Amino acid sequence: QVQLVESGGGLVQAGGSLKLSCAVSGRTFDSYTRAWFRQAPGKERDFVAAISWSDGTTYYKDSVKGRFTISRDNAKNTVYLRMNSLKPEDTAVYYCAVGPGGLTVPEYDDWGQGTQVTVSS
């Protein structure tokens, strides 16, 4: 019923920037939180950033603060993740998620298929 489609991933050199987009379609609740998670090879899926759809309150993983910015376009039902000053350790599949809130994987109900971000050194 709810579909999330990520785009914008790719290969970038360290220090570069990428902007990810997540278009949400289907029935969901505007009060739900939109979030980005990432999963690197051999690692568990980890929280990156989240935004409240209702008031725009944002939350970030400590290691991306000051480099990543999550934003929203309510009219387009789209969430973005601007990633600046990328580091090789940012390399991962990035997933968009929608849920009632929280900063952990089990708290989210719907997930996209992910978009690959590769940062070369």
Side-chain angles (χ1 to χ4, degrees):
Q1 187 174 7
V2 178
Q3 290 185 312
L4 298 84
V5 180
E6 302 98 334
S7 62
L11 175 64
V12 64
Q13 291 185 322
S17 299
L18 286 172
K19 188 175 82 172
L20 308 182
S21 298
C22 174
V24 181
S25 61
R27 184 70 177 95
T28 188
F29 297 98
D30 289 342
S31 61
Y32 275 23
T33 298
R34 273 70 164 170
W36 289 95
F37 290 75
R38 67 187 182 187
Q39 187 167 21
K43 304 288 186 178
E44 294 185 349
R45 192 170 299 186
D46 290 329
F47 170 79
V48 177
I51 185 167
S52 169
W53 212 249
S54 58
D55 63 14
T57 302
T58 58
Y59 309 87
Y60 294 95
K61 178 181 178 68
D62 286 344
S63 63
V64 308
K65 288 180 178 178
R67 299 190 298 120
F68 291 11
T69 303
I70 188 170
S71 61
R72 57 175 179 155
D73 187 330
N74 295 49
K76 296 180 179 179
N77 205 10
T78 299
V79 62
Y80 305 94
L81 185 68
R82 166 62 70 179
M83 304 183 294
N84 296 324
S85 302
L86 283 162
K87 304 174 181 180
E89 52 263 43
D90 295 318
T91 295
V93 177
Y94 283 70
Y95 297 90
C96 183
V98 177
L103 307 180
T104 64
V105 169
E107 295 175 271
Y108 287 83
D109 300 318
D110 296 290
W111 296 82
Q113 290 298 303
T115 185
Q116 176 71 48
V117 172
T118 302
V119 184
S120 64
S121 59

